[in-house]
Amino acid sequence: MDEHLVRLEASLWVGKKRFWAVLTGWHLNWTELDKKNRSKMTVSIPVSEVVSVEEGRVHVSPRRSISEDADREFTVFYVKRTSSRSSGGFLWSLGRTQFSCPSRGLRDQWVTQLRLALKTHSPSRPHRLLVFINPFGGKKQGRDIYQSLVAPLFELAGISCHVVVTERGNQARDHILKKDLTGFDGVICVGGDGMFSELLHGVIGRTQQEAGLSEHDPTLTLQSCDLHIGIIPAGSTDCVCFATMGVNDPVTSALHIIIGDSQPLDVCSVHYRSSLVRYAVSLVGYGFYGDVLAESEKHRWMGPLRYDYSGAMVYLSNRSYAGIVQYLPADPQLSNPRDNTRCLSGCSVCSKSTERLFPHSPNASSLYSSHFSQFGSDSEGKWVSVEGRFRAVSLTCMSSSCPRSPLGLSPSAHLADGTADLIIVRDTHPLGFLTFLHRHTTTQDQFDLPFVEVHRVKAVRFSLPPGAEDDEDEEAVKDGVLAEEDEAPIQSGSKQHLAGVTSYRRQKKKALCGLCCSKAPSVSVWNCDGELLPHTEILCRVHCQLVRLYARGIEDGLAPTSGICRERQGTCRGRCVLHN
């Protein structure tokens, strides 16, 4: 379809002002006219960002209502942007404009053409969603957030939802793995990063089961997942949502879901010996970040404040740990973690990765090529080994930005290029490490320190030096979970799993001892997206674009705000950033 083709145009009224409205191939534009028919301000909305077109005068809040005497009017709901002061992203809200037509016939024509344009330009919009609500996460407002802010928008957009309010850990993951999901276009979590992790494990696990692939083989290329994941932030940190959208806002997330945005996302699989332990997207951290999580679990009654308290206590303990870090470097010609670029919406680096993954298909949701191997290529070097004492070892598949750290652990990390950034912080004096931590809250380069190094990698191995104490579990590891003698397997990710890990390590007397102990522990624990791992020696491997989110990446904060299309309303194909 020609994007310049005018499908419909007419003189319409908005309130007491007259406008010339034009529906083209990709945009709905309306221009205010003065008494002499001279053009004034023009508002341009991409058809792909129209949420709904309704007959009559329609209001959404607090409940949807339609005026009875409005047979010549129709209402257009669309995405409206405002800059977020706390981040570089945009807050999305529901825009609403009510048009009056000279006749009912013309009104019906406009409604029909607009709805047809929506179907033409937004074929990937979801129609049926499976929604999981965590009523206990964050400030325990997940249910209220969904019912008051999200559900009315889904109803307006004609999306039917099956809602499950979870009552236990891993209920959402188990539901996705075992229940019939026929007819669902996506799964939505209303909660924090822990809830997202449940959906992540469920979607990946189900996809591999249906494809007949083993998740436990780290050399195997996993099959990409067609079922999209949406995030309605209602947790303590909501790191994944912030890093993929630039804001933590339920309405913004709901609108991304409604219009069917699709953002591919790399996933890191964590293995111990021949078994999968967990998947991660934001952080696999050893040393400081693992100790903070272990300490914070003792103070859950404090709510989100437990992270501040635990961080301070762990910093004062002044610990470092011996280890051997091996990594498989990515191709440095494609990108590097210190090139001062940001992964924004439409990122060219991630787009090139998509072209390499799917060379014969314009649809990014296609299956992985069976001939593509991420674990090594001619353009990548051999394994590199680093040995010493470390304050922290971190691996992240994204910037891991959050409101407190707007640029994140690795500001130039990419969401979907098939790599992760490995950050190694060697042992140093307390003031130097404090400088490193403080720079995460500023715009200063946290890597510009003599004891810090960062590498873009495809895979990472961590092991303990010969002769060092190790608290690896010698029990049988079956199906990727830790099993105690005479007990049922403990499912990773749940509170029961955490209790099992803590109990086991206490029994072995190798656990993180109290912060006031006279003797510091010889090993730390791994923090894997907010969950403690039961193993120290692990292998991590990055899977390129394994899942897809209802998101589009962080939008460029330099986008225009005047309501005029950057591409003169002609060639942007409805994907440019517009405001009104």
Side-chain angles (χ1 to χ4, degrees):
M1 179 184 296
D2 188 352
E3 62 264 25
H4 301 287
L5 178 65
V6 176
R7 302 180 62 179
L8 191 61
E9 57 183 342
S11 177
L12 305 178
W13 291 83
V14 178
K16 296 183 179 180
K17 296 181 179 180
R18 190 164 64 93
F19 287 79
W20 185 253
V22 179
L23 175 61
T24 64
W26 295 97
H27 286 84
L28 170 63
N29 310 316
W30 59 96
T31 303
E32 184 179 354
L33 302 176
D34 61 15
K35 295 181 179 179
K36 296 183 179 180
N37 286 333
R38 291 176 298 190
S39 300
K40 297 175 70 175
M41 181 191 71
T42 296
V43 178
S44 181
I45 301 298
V47 171
S48 61
E49 294 185 2
V50 174
V51 173
S52 179
V53 180
E54 303 293 331
E55 298 177 352
R57 303 174 186 174
V58 180
H59 302 269
V60 175
S61 182
R63 290 187 176 182
R64 178 172 172 174
S65 62
I66 303 176
S67 176
E68 296 180 356
D69 59 346
D71 59 349
R72 297 183 180 183
E73 298 175 337
F74 67 94
T75 306
V76 178
F77 295 92
Y78 50 89
V79 172
K80 189 173 183 179
R81 290 174 175 82
T82 55
S83 297
S84 172
R85 296 181 180 180
S86 61
S87 68
F90 285 104
L91 287 170
W92 285 18
S93 59
L94 186 65
R96 172 184 174 275
T97 299
Q98 178 184 302
F99 294 93
S100 298
C101 302
S103 66
R104 180 168 184 172
L106 183 60
R107 191 279 304 271
D108 294 342
Q109 188 178 3
W110 271 96
V111 171
T112 300
Q113 288 296 323
L114 281 168
R115 289 176 176 173
L116 178 61
L118 283 181
K119 292 182 180 180
T120 303
H121 296 296
S122 304
S124 61
R125 292 194 177 195
H127 301 285
R128 189 166 180 241
L129 297 172
L130 177 59
V131 180
F132 295 96
I133 300 176
N134 179 6
F136 308 109
K139 297 181 180 179
K140 301 181 180 180
Q141 297 178 346
R143 196 195 305 257
D144 292 338
I145 287 174
Y146 178 78
Q147 293 177 347
S148 62
L149 299 177
V150 178
L153 295 177
F154 285 171
E155 180 185 1
L156 175 68
I159 300 176
S160 63
C161 299
H162 177 70
V163 179
V164 177
V165 180
T166 60
E167 300 176 349
R168 59 174 176 84
N170 283 328
Q171 180 179 345
R173 184 203 63 182
D174 295 342
H175 188 110
I176 295 173
L177 287 173
K178 300 175 182 178
K179 300 293 184 179
D180 182 13
L181 302 183
T182 303
F184 287 109
D185 301 306
V187 291
I188 311 299
C189 68
V190 184
D193 293 327
M195 192 66 172
F196 167 78
S197 182
E198 284 196 34
L199 269 64
L200 179 76
H201 283 77
V203 169
I204 296 176
R206 185 184 183 99
T207 301
Q208 308 321 309
Q209 288 177 9
E210 293 177 348
L213 301 176
S214 172
E215 300 175 84
H216 302 295
D217 184 356
T219 65
L220 189 66
T221 298
L222 299 180
Q223 179 152 342
S224 61
C225 306
D226 291 326
L227 196 65
H228 279 59
I229 302 175
I231 309 172
I232 304 297
S236 299
T237 56
D238 301 307
C239 173
V240 178
C241 182
F242 194 93
T244 55
M245 297 187 189
V247 295
N248 285 338
D249 177 63
V251 172
T252 300
S253 296
L255 291 173
H256 276 288
I257 295 169
I258 288 171
I259 68 175
D261 270 341
S262 183
Q263 170 64 51
L265 186 66
D266 296 338
V267 177
C268 176
S269 60
V270 182
H271 301 263
Y272 169 66
R273 296 181 181 175
S274 60
S275 295
L276 172 74
V277 183
R278 285 191 69 83
Y279 293 107
V281 295
S282 61
L283 173 67
V284 182
Y286 183 80
F288 178 79
Y289 297 108
D291 291 356
V292 169
L293 178 61
E295 180 66 19
S296 69
E297 290 299 325
K298 306 173 186 176
H299 310 284
R300 296 190 69 89
W301 58 270
M302 297 176 65
L305 289 177
R306 68 183 183 274
Y307 298 113
D308 295 333
Y309 171 80
S310 300
M313 295 299 292
V314 171
Y315 168 76
L316 292 173
S317 69
N318 195 31
R319 294 171 179 165
S320 63
Y321 302 95
I324 302 174
V325 181
Q326 297 174 292
Y327 62 89
L328 183 65
D331 186 352
Q333 297 180 352
L334 299 177
S335 64
N336 72 80
R338 300 196 66 182
D339 56 15
N340 294 322
T341 62
R342 292 191 68 195
C343 184
L344 301 173
S345 179
C347 173
S348 60
V349 174
C350 297
S351 297
K352 291 178 181 177
S353 296
T354 303
E355 294 171 0
R356 293 195 301 272
L357 279 174
F358 317 112
H360 304 298
S361 174
N363 185 358
S365 64
S366 302
L367 303 181
Y368 275 95
S369 169
S370 60
H371 303 290
F372 183 82
S373 173
Q374 298 169 298
F375 220 37
S377 69
D378 295 338
S379 63
E380 296 162 354
K382 298 180 179 179
W383 286 85
V384 179
S385 181
V386 179
E387 183 174 359
R389 293 193 67 86
F390 310 110
R391 285 297 187 99
V393 177
S394 306
L395 185 70
T396 179
C397 292
M398 57 175 61
S399 66
S400 294
S401 56
C402 65
R404 289 196 172 186
S405 179
L407 297 182
L409 292 177
S410 186
S412 295
H414 289 273
L415 295 174
D417 67 339
T419 69
D421 285 355
L422 171 66
I423 306 165
I424 300 175
V425 184
R426 295 181 179 272
D427 192 15
T428 186
H429 55 86
L431 184 58
F433 188 58
L434 181 62
T435 301
F436 168 76
L437 294 176
H438 175 68
R439 287 189 178 184
H440 286 80
T441 65
T442 69
T443 57
Q444 289 183 282
D445 184 3
Q446 63 261 43
F447 304 139
D448 189 21
L449 294 167
F451 53 88
V452 179
E453 53 186 279
V454 58
H455 308 279
R456 187 144 290 171
V457 302
K458 290 280 191 177
V460 172
R461 292 193 189 105
F462 183 86
S463 59
L464 297 173
E469 294 184 3
D470 185 8
D471 54 358
E472 299 291 346
D473 186 10
E474 299 300 332
E475 302 289 339
V477 179
K478 299 178 181 179
D479 298 327
V481 296
L482 181 66
E484 297 282 354
E485 185 178 359
D486 299 328
E487 292 184 7
I490 300 173
Q491 300 297 326
S492 61
S494 66
K495 294 181 180 178
Q496 184 183 8
H497 163 74
L498 177 61
V501 173
T502 305
S503 174
Y504 170 75
R505 294 195 167 186
R506 284 176 179 171
Q507 292 173 6
K508 293 292 186 178
K509 296 183 180 180
K510 311 263 190 210
L512 281 174
C513 51
L515 294 176
C516 298
C517 288
S518 59
K519 181 181 178 181
S522 59
V523 295
S524 179
V525 290
W526 283 98
N527 176 347
C528 183
D529 277 1
E531 297 290 343
L532 294 176
L533 298 187
H535 313 292
T536 303
E537 297 188 328
I538 60 173
L539 166 67
C540 302
R541 184 233 174 133
V542 182
H543 300 266
C544 187
Q545 301 186 13
L546 186 58
V547 298
R548 304 191 72 85
L549 305 183
Y550 284 118
R552 66 171 58 174
I554 300 175
E555 292 181 313
D556 188 355
L558 299 178
T561 59
S562 63
I564 304 300
C565 172
R566 180 188 298 178
E567 303 294 338
R568 299 290 183 183
Q569 305 174 11
T571 60
C572 68
R573 292 185 176 271
R575 303 301 297 179
C576 63
V577 181
L578 302 175
H579 301 265
N580 40 71

